[in-house]
Coordinates of all heavy atoms in Angstrom, one line a residue:
S675 N -2.6 7.8 10.3 CA -2.3 9.1 9.7 C -1.7 8.9 8.3 O -2.1 9.7 7.4 CB -1.2 9.8 10.6 OG -1.7 10.1 11.8
I676 N -1.0 7.9 8.1 CA -0.4 7.6 6.8 C -1.6 7.2 5.8 O -1.7 7.7 4.7 CB 0.6 6.4 6.8 CG1 1.8 6.8 7.6 CG2 1.0 6.0 5.4 CD1 2.8 5.7 7.9
G677 N -2.4 6.4 6.3 CA -3.7 6.0 5.5 C -4.5 7.1 5.2 O -4.9 7.3 4.0
L678 N -4.7 8.0 6.2 CA -5.6 9.2 6.0 C -5.1 10.2 4.8 O -5.8 10.5 3.9 CB -5.8 9.9 7.3 CG -6.5 11.3 7.1 CD1 -7.8 11.1 6.6 CD2 -6.5 12.0 8.6
A679 N -3.7 10.4 5.0 CA -3.2 11.3 4.0 C -3.2 10.7 2.6 O -3.5 11.4 1.6 CB -1.7 11.6 4.4
L680 N -2.9 9.4 2.5 CA -2.8 8.8 1.2 C -4.3 8.6 0.6 O -4.5 8.9 -0.6 CB -2.3 7.3 1.3 CG -1.7 6.6 0.2 CD1 -0.7 7.4 -0.6 CD2 -1.2 5.2 0.6
F681 N -5.2 8.4 1.4 CA -6.7 8.2 1.0 C -7.2 9.5 0.4 O -7.7 9.6 -0.7 CB -7.5 7.7 2.1 CG -9.0 7.7 1.8 CD1 -9.5 7.0 0.8 CD2 -9.8 8.6 2.5 CE1 -10.9 7.0 0.6 CE2 -11.2 8.6 2.2 CZ -11.7 7.9 1.3
V682 N -7.1 10.6 1.2 CA -7.7 11.8 0.8 C -6.9 12.5 -0.4 O -7.5 13.2 -1.3 CB -7.8 12.9 1.9 CG1 -8.7 12.4 3.0 CG2 -6.4 13.3 2.5
Y683 N -5.6 12.2 -0.5 CA -4.8 12.7 -1.7 C -5.3 12.0 -3.0 O -5.6 12.7 -4.0 CB -3.4 12.3 -1.5 CG -2.5 13.0 -2.5 CD1 -2.1 14.2 -2.6 CD2 -2.0 12.1 -3.6 CE1 -1.3 14.8 -3.5 CE2 -1.2 12.7 -4.6 CZ -0.9 14.0 -4.6 OH -0.1 14.5 -5.6
C684 N -5.6 10.7 -2.9 CA -6.1 10.0 -4.1 C -7.5 10.4 -4.5 O -7.9 10.5 -5.6 CB -6.0 8.5 -3.9 SG -4.4 7.8 -3.8
V685 N -8.3 10.6 -3.4 CA -9.7 11.2 -3.7 C -9.6 12.5 -4.4 O -10.3 12.8 -5.4 CB -10.4 11.3 -2.4 CG1 -11.7 12.1 -2.5 CG2 -10.8 9.9 -1.8
G686 N -8.7 13.4 -4.0 CA -8.6 14.7 -4.6 C -8.0 14.6 -6.1 O -8.6 15.3 -6.9
I687 N -7.1 13.7 -6.3 CA -6.6 13.5 -7.7 C -7.7 13.1 -8.5 O -7.9 13.5 -9.7 CB -5.4 12.5 -7.7 CG1 -4.2 13.1 -7.0 CG2 -5.2 12.0 -9.1 CD1 -3.6 14.2 -7.8
S688 N -8.6 12.1 -8.0 CA -9.7 11.6 -8.8 C -10.7 12.6 -9.1 O -11.3 12.7 -10.2 CB -10.3 10.4 -8.0 OG -11.4 9.9 -8.7
A689 N -11.1 13.4 -8.1 CA -12.2 14.3 -8.3 C -11.8 15.7 -8.9 O -12.6 16.4 -9.4 CB -12.8 14.7 -6.8
G690 N -10.4 16.0 -8.8 CA -10.0 17.3 -9.3 C -10.4 17.7 -10.7 O -10.7 18.8 -11.0
N691 N -10.2 16.7 -11.6 CA -10.6 17.0 -13.0 C -12.0 17.3 -13.3 O -12.3 17.7 -14.4 CB -10.0 15.9 -13.9 CG -10.6 14.6 -13.6 OD1 -11.5 14.4 -12.8 ND2 -10.1 13.5 -14.3
R692 N -12.9 17.0 -12.3 CA -14.3 17.3 -12.6 C -14.9 18.3 -11.5 O -15.9 18.9 -11.8 CB -15.1 16.0 -12.5 CG -14.9 15.0 -13.5 CD -15.7 13.7 -13.4 NE -15.5 12.9 -14.5 CZ -14.5 12.0 -14.6 NH1 -13.7 11.9 -13.6 NH2 -14.5 11.1 -15.6
F693 N -14.2 18.4 -10.4 CA -14.8 19.3 -9.3 C -15.1 20.7 -9.8 O -16.1 21.3 -9.7 CB -14.0 19.2 -8.1 CG -14.4 20.0 -6.9 CD1 -15.6 19.7 -6.3 CD2 -13.6 21.2 -6.5 CE1 -16.0 20.6 -5.3 CE2 -14.1 22.0 -5.5 CZ -15.2 21.7 -4.8
F694 N -14.0 21.4 -10.2 CA -14.0 22.8 -10.5 C -14.8 23.0 -11.8 O -15.5 24.0 -12.0 CB -12.6 23.3 -10.7 CG -11.8 23.3 -9.5 CD1 -10.8 22.4 -9.3 CD2 -12.0 24.2 -8.4 CE1 -10.1 22.3 -8.1 CE2 -11.3 24.2 -7.3 CZ -10.3 23.3 -7.1
G695 N -14.7 22.0 -12.8 CA -15.5 22.1 -14.0 C -17.0 22.0 -13.7 O -17.8 22.8 -14.3
A696 N -17.3 21.2 -12.8 CA -18.8 21.0 -12.4 C -19.3 22.3 -11.8 O -20.5 22.6 -11.9 CB -19.0 19.9 -11.5
L697 N -18.5 23.0 -11.1 CA -19.0 24.2 -10.4 C -19.2 25.4 -11.4 O -20.0 26.3 -11.2 CB -18.0 24.6 -9.4 CG -17.9 23.8 -8.1 CD1 -16.8 24.3 -7.2 CD2 -19.2 23.7 -7.4
K698 N -18.4 25.4 -12.5 CA -18.4 26.7 -13.4 C -19.2 26.4 -14.7 O -19.7 27.4 -15.3 CB -17.1 27.1 -13.7 CG -16.3 26.4 -14.8 CD -14.9 27.1 -15.0 CE -14.2 26.4 -16.1 NZ -12.9 27.0 -16.3
R699 N -19.5 25.2 -15.1 CA -20.2 25.0 -16.3 C -21.7 25.3 -16.1 O -22.2 25.3 -15.1 CB -20.0 23.5 -16.8 CG -18.7 23.3 -17.5 CD -18.8 22.0 -18.3 NE -19.3 20.9 -17.6 CZ -18.6 20.1 -16.8 NH1 -17.4 20.3 -16.6 NH2 -19.3 19.2 -16.1
E700 N -22.4 25.4 -17.2 CA -23.8 25.5 -17.2 C -24.5 24.4 -16.5 O -25.6 24.5 -15.9 CB -24.3 25.7 -18.6 CG -24.0 27.0 -19.3 CD -24.5 27.2 -20.6 OE1 -25.3 26.3 -21.0 OE2 -24.2 28.1 -21.3
G701 N -23.8 23.2 -16.6 CA -24.3 22.0 -15.9 C -24.2 22.1 -14.4 O -24.4 21.1 -13.7
S702 N -23.8 23.3 -13.9 CA -23.6 23.4 -12.4 C -24.9 23.2 -11.6 O -24.8 23.2 -10.4 CB -23.0 24.8 -12.1 OG -23.9 25.9 -12.5

């Protein structure tokens, strides 16, 4: 459980700065 929470949190931090931008830009 500790590993799961830590892993997905870091994945989210890494992807967050591109995820929403990729969805709304013309490059979507």
Side-chain angles (χ1 to χ4, degrees):
S675 297
I676 295 172
L678 172 58
L680 199 57
F681 170 65
V682 296
Y683 184 82
C684 290
V685 168
I687 290 291
S688 174
N691 59 7
R692 292 180 175 87
F693 177 68
F694 297 104
L697 289 178
K698 81 177 180 181
R699 281 197 314 273
E700 290 182 7
S702 62

